[in-house]
Amino acid sequence: EAGRYPFNSTPADADLVAAVAAKYKVKPENVVMGAGSQEILKSAMRAFVSESKSLVTALPTFENCTGYAKRYKLPITEVKVDSQMRLDVEPMIAAAIKDKAGLVFFNNPNNPTATVHGAKTVADMVERIRKGSPDTVILIDEAYHDYVTDPSYASAIPLALSTPNVFVARTFSKAYGMAGMRIGYAIGMPDTMKPLAALKM
């Protein structure tokens, strides 16, 4: 079944979850698998965005969440990147708090602008959104994590594992190029993972 989307769980699923969990020294309940990170993003939209809970995202950024919101006419705030093509963090924070957003999509490194924010900026953003709108879920997409050379950058996985309503999405589809085997995963605190696990294909 390697060349098929995982519509039905197979016994090997548990082994894969265990392998990812072991890599990060966490429990299986901290991990949710997906058919690439795209399934994770779509599940996040289904779980956390509604007619009364908006999406806050960048423009341009990876279009999966944006496309979903527009297709289903869900409220969305798109914050244009700054003059250096970096995600404009301050207005994203302001929009998340003002709207009491359901989900903030933060693509770091950002696709397609190839810009990255350092660990301190990400941690500060999370802290401020959590303080101003604690129910808002923050999705940090690290699909291009393996290509980062900026020394200020660090994965937000430790942050997600210690902070409610924050999770990181990763994929094997970029650095490892496993054609025909789209494998992605989300990682965060168990309570944050439960809505994603319920929507898994």
PDB file of all heavy atoms in Angstrom, residues 128-160:
ATOM      1  N   ARG A 128       2.870  36.147  23.000  1.00  0.00           N
ATOM      2  CA  ARG A 128       1.949  37.285  22.923  1.00  0.00           C
ATOM      3  C   ARG A 128       0.563  36.866  22.438  1.00  0.00           C
ATOM      4  O   ARG A 128      -0.457  37.351  22.955  1.00  0.00           O
ATOM      5  CB  ARG A 128       2.550  38.363  22.027  1.00  0.00           C
ATOM      6  CG  ARG A 128       3.747  39.055  22.686  1.00  0.00           C
ATOM      7  CD  ARG A 128       4.488  39.939  21.714  1.00  0.00           C
ATOM      8  NE  ARG A 128       3.642  41.008  21.202  1.00  0.00           N
ATOM      9  CZ  ARG A 128       3.994  41.783  20.179  1.00  0.00           C
ATOM     10  NH1 ARG A 128       5.152  41.601  19.573  1.00  0.00           N
ATOM     11  NH2 ARG A 128       3.179  42.734  19.765  1.00  0.00           N
ATOM     12  N   ILE A 129       0.501  35.961  21.472  1.00  0.00           N
ATOM     13  CA  ILE A 129      -0.806  35.487  21.017  1.00  0.00           C
ATOM     14  C   ILE A 129      -1.486  34.696  22.128  1.00  0.00           C
ATOM     15  O   ILE A 129      -2.683  34.860  22.386  1.00  0.00           O
ATOM     16  CB  ILE A 129      -0.685  34.641  19.736  1.00  0.00           C
ATOM     17  CG1 ILE A 129      -0.250  35.527  18.555  1.00  0.00           C
ATOM     18  CG2 ILE A 129      -2.013  33.955  19.408  1.00  0.00           C
ATOM     19  CD1 ILE A 129       0.071  34.750  17.284  1.00  0.00           C
ATOM     20  N   ARG A 130      -0.730  33.850  22.809  1.00  0.00           N
ATOM     21  CA  ARG A 130      -1.297  33.054  23.904  1.00  0.00           C
ATOM     22  C   ARG A 130      -1.844  33.967  25.009  1.00  0.00           C
ATOM     23  O   ARG A 130      -2.880  33.678  25.599  1.00  0.00           O
ATOM     24  CB  ARG A 130      -0.224  32.129  24.490  1.00  0.00           C
ATOM     25  CG  ARG A 130       0.242  31.038  23.553  1.00  0.00           C
ATOM     26  CD  ARG A 130      -0.637  29.810  23.583  1.00  0.00           C
ATOM     27  NE  ARG A 130      -0.799  29.325  24.944  1.00  0.00           N
ATOM     28  CZ  ARG A 130      -1.957  28.902  25.437  1.00  0.00           C
ATOM     29  NH1 ARG A 130      -3.046  28.927  24.720  1.00  0.00           N
ATOM     30  NH2 ARG A 130      -2.028  28.458  26.674  1.00  0.00           N
ATOM     31  N   LYS A 131      -1.147  35.064  25.272  1.00  0.00           N
ATOM     32  CA  LYS A 131      -1.594  35.981  26.316  1.00  0.00           C
ATOM     33  C   LYS A 131      -2.862  36.723  25.889  1.00  0.00           C
ATOM     34  O   LYS A 131      -3.788  36.901  26.677  1.00  0.00           O
ATOM     35  CB  LYS A 131      -0.485  36.985  26.633  1.00  0.00           C
ATOM     36  CG  LYS A 131      -0.810  37.931  27.785  1.00  0.00           C
ATOM     37  CD  LYS A 131       0.364  38.830  28.116  1.00  0.00           C
ATOM     38  CE  LYS A 131       0.030  39.762  29.274  1.00  0.00           C
ATOM     39  NZ  LYS A 131       1.157  40.676  29.589  1.00  0.00           N
ATOM     40  N   GLY A 132      -2.908  37.156  24.633  1.00  0.00           N
ATOM     41  CA  GLY A 132      -4.029  37.969  24.157  1.00  0.00           C
ATOM     42  C   GLY A 132      -5.225  37.170  23.691  1.00  0.00           C
ATOM     43  O   GLY A 132      -6.358  37.668  23.700  1.00  0.00           O
ATOM     44  N   SER A 133      -4.997  35.923  23.272  1.00  0.00           N
ATOM     45  CA  SER A 133      -6.095  35.083  22.771  1.00  0.00           C
ATOM     46  C   SER A 133      -5.740  33.618  23.030  1.00  0.00           C
ATOM     47  O   SER A 133      -5.334  32.888  22.123  1.00  0.00           O
ATOM     48  CB  SER A 133      -6.307  35.323  21.268  1.00  0.00           C
ATOM     49  OG  SER A 133      -7.396  34.554  20.789  1.00  0.00           O
ATOM     50  N   PRO A 134      -5.858  33.167  24.270  1.00  0.00           N
ATOM     51  CA  PRO A 134      -5.365  31.839  24.654  1.00  0.00           C
ATOM     52  C   PRO A 134      -6.018  30.667  23.929  1.00  0.00           C
ATOM     53  O   PRO A 134      -5.437  29.585  23.854  1.00  0.00           O
ATOM     54  CB  PRO A 134      -5.634  31.765  26.167  1.00  0.00           C
ATOM     55  CG  PRO A 134      -6.525  32.903  26.495  1.00  0.00           C
ATOM     56  CD  PRO A 134      -6.374  33.925  25.420  1.00  0.00           C
ATOM     57  N   ASP A 135      -7.216  30.862  23.366  1.00  0.00           N
ATOM     58  CA  ASP A 135      -7.883  29.771  22.651  1.00  0.00           C
ATOM     59  C   ASP A 135      -7.411  29.634  21.204  1.00  0.00           C
ATOM     60  O   ASP A 135      -7.730  28.647  20.535  1.00  0.00           O
ATOM     61  CB  ASP A 135      -9.401  29.960  22.666  1.00  0.00           C
ATOM     62  CG  ASP A 135      -9.993  29.783  24.059  1.00  0.00           C
ATOM     63  OD1 ASP A 135      -9.357  29.089  24.887  1.00  0.00           O
ATOM     64  OD2 ASP A 135     -11.067  30.346  24.331  1.00  0.00           O
ATOM     65  N   THR A 136      -6.672  30.622  20.709  1.00  0.00           N
ATOM     66  CA  THR A 136      -6.169  30.569  19.341  1.00  0.00           C
ATOM     67  C   THR A 136      -5.105  29.474  19.226  1.00  0.00           C
ATOM     68  O   THR A 136      -4.195  29.395  20.050  1.00  0.00           O
ATOM     69  CB  THR A 136      -5.573  31.922  18.921  1.00  0.00           C
ATOM     70  OG1 THR A 136      -6.622  32.899  18.901  1.00  0.00           O
ATOM     71  CG2 THR A 136      -4.924  31.852  17.539  1.00  0.00           C
ATOM     72  N   VAL A 137      -5.223  28.653  18.195  1.00  0.00           N
ATOM     73  CA  VAL A 137      -4.241  27.600  17.930  1.00  0.00           C
ATOM     74  C   VAL A 137      -3.205  28.129  16.944  1.00  0.00           C
ATOM     75  O   VAL A 137      -3.547  28.806  15.969  1.00  0.00           O
ATOM     76  CB  VAL A 137      -4.929  26.341  17.366  1.00  0.00           C
ATOM     77  CG1 VAL A 137      -3.906  25.268  17.014  1.00  0.00           C
ATOM     78  CG2 VAL A 137      -5.943  25.806  18.381  1.00  0.00           C
ATOM     79  N   ILE A 138      -1.953  27.840  17.208  1.00  0.00           N
ATOM     80  CA  ILE A 138      -0.851  28.319  16.360  1.00  0.00           C
ATOM     81  C   ILE A 138      -0.186  27.126  15.700  1.00  0.00           C
ATOM     82  O   ILE A 138       0.360  26.246  16.380  1.00  0.00           O
ATOM     83  CB  ILE A 138       0.165  29.134  17.182  1.00  0.00           C
ATOM     84  CG1 ILE A 138      -0.533  30.300  17.890  1.00  0.00           C
ATOM     85  CG2 ILE A 138       1.300  29.648  16.280  1.00  0.00           C
ATOM     86  CD1 ILE A 138       0.294  30.953  18.979  1.00  0.00           C
ATOM     87  N   LEU A 139      -0.246  27.107  14.382  1.00  0.00           N
ATOM     88  CA  LEU A 139       0.362  26.047  13.582  1.00  0.00           C
ATOM     89  C   LEU A 139       1.637  26.596  12.956  1.00  0.00           C
ATOM     90  O   LEU A 139       1.589  27.535  12.152  1.00  0.00           O
ATOM     91  CB  LEU A 139      -0.614  25.588  12.493  1.00  0.00           C
ATOM     92  CG  LEU A 139      -0.086  24.814  11.285  1.00  0.00           C
ATOM     93  CD1 LEU A 139       0.783  23.646  11.669  1.00  0.00           C
ATOM     94  CD2 LEU A 139      -1.243  24.365  10.417  1.00  0.00           C
ATOM     95  N   ILE A 140       2.772  26.025  13.322  1.00  0.00           N
ATOM     96  CA  ILE A 140       4.064  26.428  12.763  1.00  0.00           C
ATOM     97  C   ILE A 140       4.494  25.346  11.782  1.00  0.00           C
ATOM     98  O   ILE A 140       4.793  24.218  12.178  1.00  0.00           O
ATOM     99  CB  ILE A 140       5.102  26.647  13.881  1.00  0.00           C
ATOM    100  CG1 ILE A 140       4.588  27.714  14.864  1.00  0.00           C
ATOM    101  CG2 ILE A 140       6.455  27.057  13.278  1.00  0.00           C
ATOM    102  CD1 ILE A 140       5.371  27.817  16.142  1.00  0.00           C
ATOM    103  N   ASP A 141       4.472  25.698  10.507  1.00  0.00           N
ATOM    104  CA  ASP A 141       4.782  24.743   9.440  1.00  0.00           C
ATOM    105  C   ASP A 141       6.284  24.792   9.155  1.00  0.00           C
ATOM    106  O   ASP A 141       6.796  25.807   8.695  1.00  0.00           O
ATOM    107  CB  ASP A 141       3.983  25.105   8.194  1.00  0.00           C
ATOM    108  CG  ASP A 141       4.153  24.089   7.071  1.00  0.00           C
ATOM    109  OD1 ASP A 141       5.102  23.285   7.117  1.00  0.00           O
ATOM    110  OD2 ASP A 141       3.340  24.118   6.127  1.00  0.00           O
ATOM    111  N   GLU A 142       6.957  23.678   9.427  1.00  0.00           N
ATOM    112  CA  GLU A 142       8.408  23.599   9.224  1.00  0.00           C
ATOM    113  C   GLU A 142       8.768  22.629   8.097  1.00  0.00           C
ATOM    114  O   GLU A 142       9.746  21.889   8.180  1.00  0.00           O
ATOM    115  CB  GLU A 142       9.100  23.175  10.532  1.00  0.00           C
ATOM    116  CG  GLU A 142       8.964  24.209  11.632  1.00  0.00           C
ATOM    117  CD  GLU A 142       9.722  23.843  12.908  1.00  0.00           C
ATOM    118  OE1 GLU A 142      10.155  22.678  13.045  1.00  0.00           O
ATOM    119  OE2 GLU A 142       9.861  24.724  13.778  1.00  0.00           O
ATOM    120  N   ALA A 143       7.989  22.657   7.013  1.00  0.00           N
ATOM    121  CA  ALA A 143       8.228  21.729   5.903  1.00  0.00           C
ATOM    122  C   ALA A 143       9.647  21.843   5.343  1.00  0.00           C
ATOM    123  O   ALA A 143      10.232  20.852   4.899  1.00  0.00           O
ATOM    124  CB  ALA A 143       7.205  21.962   4.790  1.00  0.00           C
ATOM    125  N   TYR A 144      10.212  23.046   5.377  1.00  0.00           N
ATOM    126  CA  TYR A 144      11.553  23.265   4.809  1.00  0.00           C
ATOM    127  C   TYR A 144      12.627  23.403   5.890  1.00  0.00           C
ATOM    128  O   TYR A 144      13.717  23.935   5.641  1.00  0.00           O
ATOM    129  CB  TYR A 144      11.537  24.493   3.893  1.00  0.00           C
ATOM    130  CG  TYR A 144      10.766  24.229   2.621  1.00  0.00           C
ATOM    131  CD1 TYR A 144       9.400  24.472   2.550  1.00  0.00           C
ATOM    132  CD2 TYR A 144      11.394  23.688   1.505  1.00  0.00           C
ATOM    133  CE1 TYR A 144       8.680  24.197   1.396  1.00  0.00           C
ATOM    134  CE2 TYR A 144      10.695  23.409   0.340  1.00  0.00           C
ATOM    135  CZ  TYR A 144       9.334  23.672   0.295  1.00  0.00           C
ATOM    136  OH  TYR A 144       8.625  23.398  -0.841  1.00  0.00           O
ATOM    137  N   HIS A 145      12.329  22.899   7.067  1.00  0.00           N
ATOM    138  CA  HIS A 145      13.250  22.956   8.204  1.00  0.00           C
ATOM    139  C   HIS A 145      14.667  22.481   7.852  1.00  0.00           C
ATOM    140  O   HIS A 145      15.658  23.087   8.262  1.00  0.00           O
ATOM    141  CB  HIS A 145      12.676  22.103   9.342  1.00  0.00           C
ATOM    142  CG  HIS A 145      13.651  21.695  10.377  1.00  0.00           C
ATOM    143  ND1 HIS A 145      13.977  22.495  11.451  1.00  0.00           N
ATOM    144  CD2 HIS A 145      14.393  20.564  10.517  1.00  0.00           C
ATOM    145  CE1 HIS A 145      14.879  21.877  12.200  1.00  0.00           C
ATOM    146  NE2 HIS A 145      15.143  20.708  11.669  1.00  0.00           N
ATOM    147  N   ASP A 146      14.769  21.417   7.084  1.00  0.00           N
ATOM    148  CA  ASP A 146      16.074  20.792   6.818  1.00  0.00           C
ATOM    149  C   ASP A 146      16.999  21.656   5.972  1.00  0.00           C
ATOM    150  O   ASP A 146      18.186  21.363   5.869  1.00  0.00           O
ATOM    151  CB  ASP A 146      15.868  19.440   6.134  1.00  0.00           C
ATOM    152  CG  ASP A 146      15.108  18.479   7.027  1.00  0.00           C
ATOM    153  OD1 ASP A 146      15.732  17.873   7.911  1.00  0.00           O
ATOM    154  OD2 ASP A 146      13.878  18.353   6.857  1.00  0.00           O
ATOM    155  N   TYR A 147      16.460  22.709   5.355  1.00  0.00           N
ATOM    156  CA  TYR A 147      17.268  23.543   4.466  1.00  0.00           C
ATOM    157  C   TYR A 147      17.754  24.838   5.123  1.00  0.00           C
ATOM    158  O   TYR A 147      18.454  25.621   4.493  1.00  0.00           O
ATOM    159  CB  TYR A 147      16.465  23.883   3.208  1.00  0.00           C
ATOM    160  CG  TYR A 147      16.083  22.673   2.403  1.00  0.00           C
ATOM    161  CD1 TYR A 147      14.798  22.129   2.498  1.00  0.00           C
ATOM    162  CD2 TYR A 147      17.003  22.055   1.563  1.00  0.00           C
ATOM    163  CE1 TYR A 147      14.449  21.006   1.774  1.00  0.00           C
ATOM    164  CE2 TYR A 147      16.650  20.924   0.836  1.00  0.00           C
ATOM    165  CZ  TYR A 147      15.378  20.410   0.943  1.00  0.00           C
ATOM    166  OH  TYR A 147      15.031  19.294   0.222  1.00  0.00           O
ATOM    167  N   VAL A 148      17.379  25.078   6.367  1.00  0.00           N
ATOM    168  CA  VAL A 148      17.704  26.359   7.008  1.00  0.00           C
ATOM    169  C   VAL A 148      19.176  26.423   7.392  1.00  0.00           C
ATOM    170  O   VAL A 148      19.715  25.483   7.988  1.00  0.00           O
ATOM    171  CB  VAL A 148      16.833  26.594   8.259  1.00  0.00           C
ATOM    172  CG1 VAL A 148      17.170  27.938   8.894  1.00  0.00           C
ATOM    173  CG2 VAL A 148      15.358  26.534   7.903  1.00  0.00           C
ATOM    174  N   THR A 149      19.810  27.546   7.068  1.00  0.00           N
ATOM    175  CA  THR A 149      21.200  27.788   7.473  1.00  0.00           C
ATOM    176  C   THR A 149      21.327  28.989   8.410  1.00  0.00           C
ATOM    177  O   THR A 149      22.401  29.235   8.941  1.00  0.00           O
ATOM    178  CB  THR A 149      22.090  28.031   6.233  1.00  0.00           C
ATOM    179  OG1 THR A 149      21.551  29.129   5.480  1.00  0.00           O
ATOM    180  CG2 THR A 149      22.141  26.784   5.348  1.00  0.00           C
ATOM    181  N   ASP A 150      20.250  29.729   8.619  1.00  0.00           N
ATOM    182  CA  ASP A 150      20.269  30.910   9.491  1.00  0.00           C
ATOM    183  C   ASP A 150      20.540  30.465  10.928  1.00  0.00           C
ATOM    184  O   ASP A 150      19.766  29.692  11.498  1.00  0.00           O
ATOM    185  CB  ASP A 150      18.926  31.621   9.397  1.00  0.00           C
ATOM    186  CG  ASP A 150      18.897  32.945  10.151  1.00  0.00           C
ATOM    187  OD1 ASP A 150      19.590  33.067  11.179  1.00  0.00           O
ATOM    188  OD2 ASP A 150      18.180  33.857   9.711  1.00  0.00           O
ATOM    189  N   PRO A 151      21.617  30.952  11.545  1.00  0.00           N
ATOM    190  CA  PRO A 151      21.958  30.496  12.901  1.00  0.00           C
ATOM    191  C   PRO A 151      20.955  30.928  13.973  1.00  0.00           C
ATOM    192  O   PRO A 151      20.940  30.349  15.063  1.00  0.00           O
ATOM    193  CB  PRO A 151      23.338  31.119  13.170  1.00  0.00           C
ATOM    194  CG  PRO A 151      23.429  32.278  12.224  1.00  0.00           C
ATOM    195  CD  PRO A 151      22.626  31.887  11.010  1.00  0.00           C
ATOM    196  N   SER A 152      20.117  31.912  13.683  1.00  0.00           N
ATOM    197  CA  SER A 152      19.128  32.350  14.677  1.00  0.00           C
ATOM    198  C   SER A 152      17.915  31.417  14.726  1.00  0.00           C
ATOM    199  O   SER A 152      17.123  31.463  15.660  1.00  0.00           O
ATOM    200  CB  SER A 152      18.644  33.775  14.368  1.00  0.00           C
ATOM    201  OG  SER A 152      17.783  33.787  13.244  1.00  0.00           O
ATOM    202  N   TYR A 153      17.806  30.550  13.732  1.00  0.00           N
ATOM    203  CA  TYR A 153      16.648  29.662  13.631  1.00  0.00           C
ATOM    204  C   TYR A 153      16.814  28.431  14.519  1.00  0.00           C
ATOM    205  O   TYR A 153      17.912  27.905  14.674  1.00  0.00           O
ATOM    206  CB  TYR A 153      16.463  29.207  12.179  1.00  0.00           C
ATOM    207  CG  TYR A 153      15.434  28.108  11.997  1.00  0.00           C
ATOM    208  CD1 TYR A 153      14.084  28.405  11.844  1.00  0.00           C
ATOM    209  CD2 TYR A 153      15.810  26.766  11.982  1.00  0.00           C
ATOM    210  CE1 TYR A 153      13.139  27.404  11.674  1.00  0.00           C
ATOM    211  CE2 TYR A 153      14.876  25.752  11.812  1.00  0.00           C
ATOM    212  CZ  TYR A 153      13.541  26.075  11.663  1.00  0.00           C
ATOM    213  OH  TYR A 153      12.626  25.082  11.501  1.00  0.00           O
ATOM    214  N   ALA A 154      15.702  27.987  15.066  1.00  0.00           N
ATOM    215  CA  ALA A 154      15.645  26.678  15.733  1.00  0.00           C
ATOM    216  C   ALA A 154      14.236  26.155  15.561  1.00  0.00           C
ATOM    217  O   ALA A 154      13.273  26.929  15.476  1.00  0.00           O
ATOM    218  CB  ALA A 154      15.994  26.790  17.211  1.00  0.00           C
ATOM    219  N   SER A 155      14.082  24.861  15.500  1.00  0.00           N
ATOM    220  CA  SER A 155      12.754  24.272  15.386  1.00  0.00           C
ATOM    221  C   SER A 155      11.890  24.685  16.572  1.00  0.00           C
ATOM    222  O   SER A 155      12.370  24.813  17.702  1.00  0.00           O
ATOM    223  CB  SER A 155      12.856  22.751  15.336  1.00  0.00           C
ATOM    224  OG  SER A 155      11.560  22.180  15.417  1.00  0.00           O
ATOM    225  N   ALA A 156      10.597  24.858  16.298  1.00  0.00           N
ATOM    226  CA  ALA A 156       9.648  25.200  17.353  1.00  0.00           C
ATOM    227  C   ALA A 156       9.067  23.961  18.025  1.00  0.00           C
ATOM    228  O   ALA A 156       8.160  24.077  18.863  1.00  0.00           O
ATOM    229  CB  ALA A 156       8.530  26.062  16.776  1.00  0.00           C
ATOM    230  N   ILE A 157       9.579  22.782  17.713  1.00  0.00           N
ATOM    231  CA  ILE A 157       9.043  21.562  18.328  1.00  0.00           C
ATOM    232  C   ILE A 157       9.141  21.593  19.854  1.00  0.00           C
ATOM    233  O   ILE A 157       8.149  21.286  20.536  1.00  0.00           O
ATOM    234  CB  ILE A 157       9.689  20.300  17.717  1.00  0.00           C
ATOM    235  CG1 ILE A 157       9.130  20.078  16.296  1.00  0.00           C
ATOM    236  CG2 ILE A 157       9.431  19.069  18.587  1.00  0.00           C
ATOM    237  CD1 ILE A 157       9.747  18.913  15.550  1.00  0.00           C
ATOM    238  N   PRO A 158      10.270  21.971  20.453  1.00  0.00           N
ATOM    239  CA  PRO A 158      10.294  22.045  21.926  1.00  0.00           C
ATOM    240  C   PRO A 158       9.244  23.009  22.478  1.00  0.00           C
ATOM    241  O   PRO A 158       8.627  22.738  23.516  1.00  0.00           O
ATOM    242  CB  PRO A 158      11.717  22.523  22.234  1.00  0.00           C
ATOM    243  CG  PRO A 158      12.524  22.079  21.058  1.00  0.00           C
ATOM    244  CD  PRO A 158      11.609  22.235  19.880  1.00  0.00           C
ATOM    245  N   LEU A 159       9.028  24.100  21.777  1.00  0.00           N
ATOM    246  CA  LEU A 159       8.011  25.076  22.189  1.00  0.00           C
ATOM    247  C   LEU A 159       6.618  24.445  22.124  1.00  0.00           C
ATOM    248  O   LEU A 159       5.805  24.591  23.045  1.00  0.00           O
ATOM    249  CB  LEU A 159       8.085  26.305  21.270  1.00  0.00           C
ATOM    250  CG  LEU A 159       7.172  27.486  21.577  1.00  0.00           C
ATOM    251  CD1 LEU A 159       7.530  28.119  22.911  1.00  0.00           C
ATOM    252  CD2 LEU A 159       7.267  28.520  20.454  1.00  0.00           C
ATOM    253  N   ALA A 160       6.351  23.716  21.039  1.00  0.00           N
ATOM    254  CA  ALA A 160       5.044  23.070  20.875  1.00  0.00           C
ATOM    255  C   ALA A 160       4.802  22.003  21.939  1.00  0.00           C
ATOM    256  O   ALA A 160       3.671  21.800  22.386  1.00  0.00           O
ATOM    257  CB  ALA A 160       4.941  22.455  19.483  1.00  0.00           C
TER     258      ALA A 160
END
